[in-house]
Amino acid sequence: DAGVIQSPRHEVTEMGQEVTLRCKPISGHDYLFWYRQTMMRGLELLIYFNNNVPIDDSGMPEDRFSAKMPNASFSTLKIQPSEPRDSAVYFCASSSDRSEAFFGQGTRLTVV
Amino acid sequence: AQKVTQAQTEISVVEKEDVTLDCVYETRDTTYYLFWYKQPPSGELVFLIRRNSFDEQNEISGRYSWNFQKSTSSFNFTITASQVVDSAVYFCALSPGGYQKVTFGTGTKLQVIP
């Protein structure tokens, strides 16, 4: 298996623009997680899905953030409109029930 | 509520020295899982180990070993005979019950000097 695949690896966008981050989990994994990593706040869980259904989105910082999982092999995290303080590395991870989470390589987002 | 504390922000050691990374956790759950992840300079997060709350046996994997003590709520990680390739940020993490909603510590940056 190729592991968790995230795209793009790097994204630079202007403030106010919409940003969409993409994730393909490991086949067979029924949990999917979105994390954000910043120097100030470390690794924060934003939202996680089980069987494509959002279970806990309490970590989503604002209404500008939204996440979807239309099927078992694809998820998106959207920020609209983006702001400079959204600059961070966003990780997607997946796991099966009773397994550790496997992380993608992350998307480094810079909002200027 | 759950919390993971990694009090050591940065550690520097000379190659071949042993080093221990500390992790203290807080949880009200009786069943929980503990993890260590490694984040090398390339940025990806690499899984190292998981432990459930009912298994206090220490574990050794090559130069890596882990000491889990429920009495002190600690899950410490020791690297024996450190190597330059061990230079990375190491995260301790905790999840209640299953493997969902993992809470990470703030990480310890380890620098191994040749």
Side-chain angles (χ1 to χ4, degrees):
Chain A
D1 199 315
V4 177
I5 300 173
Q6 291 186 246
S7 63
R9 290 291 310 279
H10 302 274
E11 176 81 34
V12 180
T13 191
E14 291 186 347
M15 183 174 64
Q17 296 297 307
E18 175 182 301
V19 176
T20 299
L21 311 182
R22 296 172 176 80
C23 175
K24 182 182 187 319
I26 292 173
S27 176
H29 282 185
D30 49 6
Y31 286 91
L32 184 138
F33 309 84
W34 283 101
Y35 284 86
R36 178 172 69 174
Q37 186 178 32
T38 61
M39 288 295 292
M40 292 299 293
R41 302 175 68 91
L43 271 162
E44 304 172 274
L45 177 64
L46 301 178
I47 184 172
Y48 79 92
F49 296 83
N50 180 219
N51 293 321
N52 313 338
V53 176
I55 303 300
D56 187 338
D57 65 354
S58 59
M60 295 285 262
E62 302 172 34
D63 291 345
R64 299 184 296 106
F65 286 70
S66 62
K68 293 182 180 179
M69 192 166 185
N71 57 61
S73 58
F74 183 66
S75 176
T76 59
L77 177 68
K78 184 181 291 186
I79 307 172
Q80 180 187 21
S82 57
E83 296 182 3
R85 60 195 168 118
D86 301 331
S87 297
V89 180
Y90 291 82
F91 286 101
C92 176
S94 71
S95 72
S96 61
D97 194 25
R98 308 299 169 187
S99 84
E100 65 277 8
F102 291 86
F103 283 76
Q105 293 199 297
T107 294
R108 182 174 295 277
L109 173 65
T110 303
V111 183
V112 298
Chain B
Q2 49 189 23
K3 184 179 178 182
V4 176
T5 300
Q6 296 179 255
Q8 304 151 306
T9 306
E10 290 192 40
I11 301 175
S12 288
V13 298
V14 177
E15 201 171 20
K16 298 184 182 176
E17 286 185 348
D18 299 347
V19 59
T20 295
L21 310 182
D22 298 332
C23 173
V24 175
Y25 62 92
E26 296 175 29
T27 181
R28 294 179 183 170
D29 295 280
T30 54
T31 302
Y32 51 89
Y33 293 82
L34 295 163
F35 308 83
W36 276 95
Y37 282 84
K38 174 181 179 180
Q39 187 174 40
S42 51
E44 72 273 23
L45 279 155
V46 179
F47 165 79
L48 295 177
I49 189 173
R50 71 172 180 269
R51 250 309 176 248
N52 73 55
S53 52
F54 298 109
D55 183 0
E56 287 193 70
Q57 268 195 323
N58 292 331
E59 180 156 340
I60 298 174
S61 176
R63 297 184 297 106
Y64 294 172
S65 62
W66 291 268
N67 182 275
F68 176 28
Q69 292 195 340
K70 286 179 76 170
S71 60
T72 56
S73 297
S74 65
F75 186 43
N76 297 336
F77 173 30
T78 297
I79 302 174
T80 303
S82 59
Q83 299 177 2
V84 173
V85 293
D86 296 327
S87 297
V89 180
Y90 291 86
F91 291 94
C92 180
L94 165 73
S95 75
Y99 288 79
Q100 308 86 357
K101 201 156 189 179
V102 178
T103 298
F104 282 83
T106 51
T108 297
K109 183 177 181 178
L110 173 66
Q111 184 177 14
V112 181
I113 303 165

